[in-house]
Amino acid sequence: MTTRSTLRAPVADTRDGRHARSVATRDKIVAALLQLVRDGDVAPSAVRVAETAGVGLRTVFRHFDEMDTLYREMSDVIEAQVMPIILKPFEAPEWRGRVREMAARRVGIYETIMPYRISASVKRFQSDFLMQGYYRQLQLERTSLHAILPQAVIDDAPVASAIEVSISFQCWRRLRHDQGLTVEAARAVVETLLDAVLARITD
């Protein structure tokens, strides 16, 4: 009995070691994609990912049979970072204050994920997964906003849409990426837009 247990142990250790190395390699590949996108390469090739990760091209495709799968992993990593912030309870007791809190939170989230959202947006026209993710993000932004708006405001479609646009990622990307504003200047624009819309609403 003792002899059998002793003989089995190295097999299990070998399998555990292979699994650990596989997981470590997979993590390196995902980290390489994140690094490249963060550094400004909005559409890195599999070759660049492999070079940055320090692995062979075959290794990349052994772990990720297509770039969509790799982008899926990237999305999971980003989502795990931002969801706790999105789900954090609001402190303001009334809806206007909560909308302002949401705007402030989104500014922080958008600034963190902007390179990755831009990268996914560039590639989404070549990827059903990324296109679905794009519309899922839009839907999440809308439903989370509507969850704190009074029904009367939601029913006023132009006003509800104006609030949505003013605190959207697309607005933040235009201010920061296209217009080249600083974080502080872009935040001031978002606050100005939001205040202007909220001022039109009578309770």
Side-chain angles (χ1 to χ4, degrees):
M1 186 70 68
T2 302
T3 303
R4 289 177 183 170
S5 297
T6 303
L7 290 174
R8 287 196 192 106
V11 176
D13 290 344
T14 300
R15 288 175 181 170
D16 290 345
R18 283 191 198 136
H19 177 70
R21 287 193 296 273
S22 178
V23 170
T25 299
R26 190 180 183 89
D27 289 346
K28 283 172 60 178
I29 294 169
V30 174
L33 175 62
L34 290 168
Q35 178 187 328
L36 287 167
V37 172
R38 185 172 60 248
D39 291 345
D41 188 344
V42 297
S45 66
V47 172
R48 287 213 66 196
V49 172
E51 291 173 349
T52 304
V55 301
L57 185 59
R58 289 184 180 179
T59 301
V60 172
F61 286 112
R62 187 166 67 246
H63 287 274
F64 303 96
D65 55 359
E66 56 185 18
M67 289 298 286
D68 259 15
T69 314
L70 187 50
Y71 272 93
R72 190 186 304 270
E73 290 279 342
M74 183 179 78
S75 298
D76 289 344
V77 171
I78 301 305
E79 185 173 307
Q81 292 178 359
V82 303
M83 285 308 292
I85 302 173
I86 293 174
L87 297 176
K88 183 180 177 183
F90 293 104
E91 296 181 4
E94 43 79 37
W95 72 268
R96 291 173 187 268
R98 291 179 179 179
V99 170
R100 289 189 172 94
E101 278 187 55
M102 177 176 283
R105 288 184 192 181
R106 287 189 178 184
V107 163
I109 291 171
Y110 294 158
E111 189 61 21
T112 299
I113 68 172
M114 183 163 57
Y116 313 112
R117 285 283 293 267
I118 291 174
S119 176
S121 184
V122 168
K123 300 285 288 185
R124 66 188 167 94
F125 295 101
Q126 305 164 358
S127 165
D128 289 339
F129 166 73
L130 292 177
M131 185 63 79
Q132 290 168 8
Y134 172 77
Y135 285 113
R136 186 169 60 250
Q137 288 161 350
L138 293 182
Q139 186 62 30
L140 175 61
E141 289 181 7
R142 176 171 299 161
T143 54
S144 60
L145 173 61
H146 283 195
I148 61 176
L149 291 178
Q151 189 59 48
V153 176
I154 296 173
D155 292 341
D156 190 340
V159 170
S161 293
I163 296 173
E164 181 180 341
V165 169
S166 68
I167 63 174
S168 68
F169 173 77
Q170 286 72 21
C171 179
W172 186 254
R173 181 200 58 75
R174 181 182 178 90
L175 295 171
R176 291 282 289 123
H177 188 262
D178 295 354
Q179 295 184 214
L181 299 185
T182 64
V183 172
E184 293 74 18
R187 181 185 290 112
V189 173
V190 169
E191 292 172 352
T192 299
L193 289 170
L194 184 58
D195 286 344
V197 178
L198 294 179
R200 293 172 56 90
I201 303 171
T202 55
D203 293 327

